[in-house]
Amino acid sequence: MGKTQGTASLEAQAGKILEIAEHYGAQGNFMFVTTFKRYLVQINILNELEKVIEADGTLVTKEYVKGRENVYTHPAIGEYNKTTTAANNTAQTLIKILRELAADRDEEGDDPLLKIMAGEFGA
């Protein structure tokens, strides 16, 4: 099974973010490097949780001692939501770090970070 178009697009955007980070000198910035790495891990976790939810469905059944069954929301959904919140917070931190580095460079013109975050990245 090959990579989906969505995954390839995410990887392309991650590559562009790294190019922008290099432009701003962030590739050596400890906070950027560790935060970006954390963000990629969170995205991978979300991808895995999506696969589990798609395979198992959104509801699970638990059987108790006397054979009674109860239907529950899949536990992966809660973890997915928590990880999404964490990833969104991590993304905001990345944006803040890059904007601060960009401000330090005192550049004018279009903000390449805003373009990549909006999905405007070239081939």
Side-chain angles (χ1 to χ4, degrees), residues 11-76:
E11 289 176 2
Q13 286 183 344
K16 290 293 183 179
I17 291 169
L18 287 175
E19 286 178 23
I20 292 167
E22 186 174 336
H23 174 75
Y24 292 143
Q27 75 278 9
N29 180 293
F30 178 79
M31 292 304 295
F32 173 81
V33 171
T34 57
T35 304
F36 189 71
K37 181 179 177 182
R38 189 175 315 113
Y39 185 68
L40 294 177
V41 168
Q42 290 166 331
I43 295 301
N44 286 329
I45 291 169
L46 288 169
N47 288 335
E48 291 301 314
L49 287 169
E50 284 176 11
K51 290 176 190 175
V52 168
I53 294 167
E54 287 174 6
D56 296 349
T58 57
L59 299 176
V60 294
T61 303
K62 289 185 182 181
E63 187 172 322
Y64 289 93
V65 179
K66 296 187 179 189
R68 288 180 288 166
E69 291 185 349
N70 285 329
V71 177
Y72 294 95
T73 302
H74 197 299

Side-chain angles (χ1 to χ4, degrees), residues 45-117:
I45 291 169
L46 288 169
N47 288 335
E48 291 301 314
L49 287 169
E50 284 176 11
K51 290 176 190 175
V52 168
I53 294 167
E54 287 174 6
D56 296 349
T58 57
L59 299 176
V60 294
T61 303
K62 289 185 182 181
E63 187 172 322
Y64 289 93
V65 179
K66 296 187 179 189
R68 288 180 288 166
E69 291 185 349
N70 285 329
V71 177
Y72 294 95
T73 302
H74 197 299
I77 293 172
E79 295 306 313
Y80 183 87
N81 291 337
K82 289 177 194 175
T83 306
T84 298
T85 299
N88 289 342
N89 290 337
T90 303
Q92 290 300 314
T93 301
L94 283 169
I95 291 168
K96 182 179 177 184
I97 292 168
L98 288 175
R99 282 193 173 147
E100 287 174 2
L101 290 170
D104 289 345
R105 289 180 58 115
D106 197 29
E107 291 188 359
E108 293 184 19
D110 290 335
D111 185 343
L113 176 61
L114 290 178
K115 284 185 173 184
I116 190 68
M117 294 308 217

